[in-house]
Amino acid sequence: MAIDHLLEQLLDRIRHDPDLRRQLAQLLFGRELAQLADQLAQLASLVRSLAESTQQGFQLLAERSSLVERELATLRRVVGELAEQQRATTAQIAALTERMERVEQQQTATTEQIRQLTERMERVEQQQAATTAQIQLLAAQVSELVEMTRRHEDSIGQLRGWYLESKARDRAPAVFGPWLERVRLAPVDEIRRRVLPVLGKEGLRRILAADVIVSGRADDLPNAPTVWLVVEVSAVVDPSDVARALERAALLRQVTENVIPVVWGPQLTEEARYLAEEQALVVVRDGALEGWEAALQRWVATG
């Protein structure tokens, strides 16, 4: 048993001690074989190293191949995505091209519509210019008609005024007859004889501007005094007519007493009515007298 143990130790040392193996090989096989054994051992070591290197190379190559495959897969995926994007981009470009073609068509149609509209606007402007000229001509004609109408109205107003004055002169005796005796239109010569020495020609002119001057005796009053009526005639009696009657009656009153202002017309404004009542004027409408008693009390002396 001890010998077996010693042999085991010797074999273990030989396995782990290269120098001992070399010496043992020289003893057993001679120097040349021992060197050959060393060379074989070195060759074996190189072969093992080469095998290990080759294995590592294959492993590295396998790893690189796997990496390349992964990269190729990634590249294929990216290429696929790019291709999909390219297809989408191509579709978008096609759609955009189609839209642009439609826009161009619409633009062409719009341009044509604008051209037609421009032509229509030009025609409308021409028509407007012609219409404006016609309106101006019509306005001038209307203005002439208005002026003619105004002149006609003035003429008609004058004619109506003359008619009313003439009617007042003709009807004065009948209208004032129930209240005055010996009613008559005052002769111009008589008025001139009374007024001229006192008021002169200007005063006479202003008094004779009255539409009608009537005189008569108020036989209902004591002593039947002579009464003078200064009458203003108008189609529509207004405050200016009242004022003229008062003014001319006041002038005549400077040369004779018992002068009553009178307004005569078919219509009377409310303001004129108020002034006539306030100033005690006689109002003649449709042959009827208003305010006669008040006028007698105001303007005629009864003493």
Side-chain angles (χ1 to χ4, degrees), residues 18 21 34-48:
R21 285 197 305 272
Q35 291 177 351
L36 179 60
D38 289 337
Q39 290 176 357
L40 289 175
Q42 292 176 2
L43 180 59
S45 178
L46 289 174
V47 170
R48 285 194 300 270

Side-chain angles (χ1 to χ4, degrees), residues 58-247:
F58 284 143
Q59 184 176 359
L60 181 60
L61 182 60
E63 292 175 355
R64 290 184 178 179
S65 177
S66 176
L67 178 61
V68 168
E69 289 179 356
R70 289 196 299 270
E71 290 178 350
L72 287 174
T74 302
L75 182 60
R76 283 193 295 271
R77 179 177 57 79
V78 171
V79 170
E81 293 176 354
L82 289 175
E84 183 64 27
Q85 293 177 358
Q86 181 64 32
R87 285 192 294 273
T89 302
T90 302
Q92 291 176 353
I93 292 174
L96 182 59
T97 301
E98 184 178 355
R99 290 181 60 186
M100 287 299 295
E101 291 176 352
R102 291 198 299 270
V103 168
E104 289 177 355
Q105 294 174 357
Q106 293 174 356
Q107 181 66 32
T108 301
T110 302
T111 302
E112 178 62 19
Q113 291 176 353
I114 292 174
R115 186 189 63 78
Q116 295 177 359
L117 181 60
T118 302
E119 292 179 354
R120 291 180 60 186
M121 288 298 297
E122 291 175 353
R123 291 195 297 271
V124 168
E125 289 176 355
Q126 294 174 356
Q127 294 174 356
Q128 183 66 32
T131 302
T132 302
Q134 292 176 354
I135 290 174
Q136 291 175 348
L137 178 61
L138 181 61
Q141 293 175 349
V142 169
S143 179
E144 292 178 359
L145 288 174
V146 169
E147 181 62 22
M148 292 176 58
T149 301
R150 185 190 63 78
R151 291 196 298 267
H152 290 163
E153 288 177 350
D154 292 343
S155 300
I156 292 172
Q158 291 178 357
L159 291 174
R160 188 178 185 186
W162 293 337
Y163 169 76
L164 291 174
E165 290 177 15
S166 177
K167 185 177 180 180
R169 291 190 186 95
D170 292 341
R171 289 187 51 79
V175 170
F176 296 109
W179 288 271
L180 295 176
E181 182 185 13
R182 300 177 185 175
V183 178
R184 65 189 179 97
L185 297 177
V188 174
D189 290 342
E190 181 180 350
I191 296 173
R192 188 175 190 278
R193 186 175 62 253
R194 288 173 178 269
V195 174
L196 191 60
V198 180
L199 300 179
K201 290 186 178 181
E202 178 61 22
L204 177 62
R205 183 193 65 78
R206 291 169 63 186
I207 290 175
L208 291 179
D211 296 328
V212 182
I213 299 178
V214 177
S215 67
R217 295 177 62 236
D219 54 355
D220 289 341
L221 298 178
N223 300 323
T226 298
V227 175
W228 296 80
L229 305 177
V230 179
V231 183
E232 285 297 313
V233 181
S234 179
V236 180
V237 177
D238 59 21
S240 63
D241 297 310
V242 176
R244 283 193 295 270
L246 286 170
E247 176 191 4

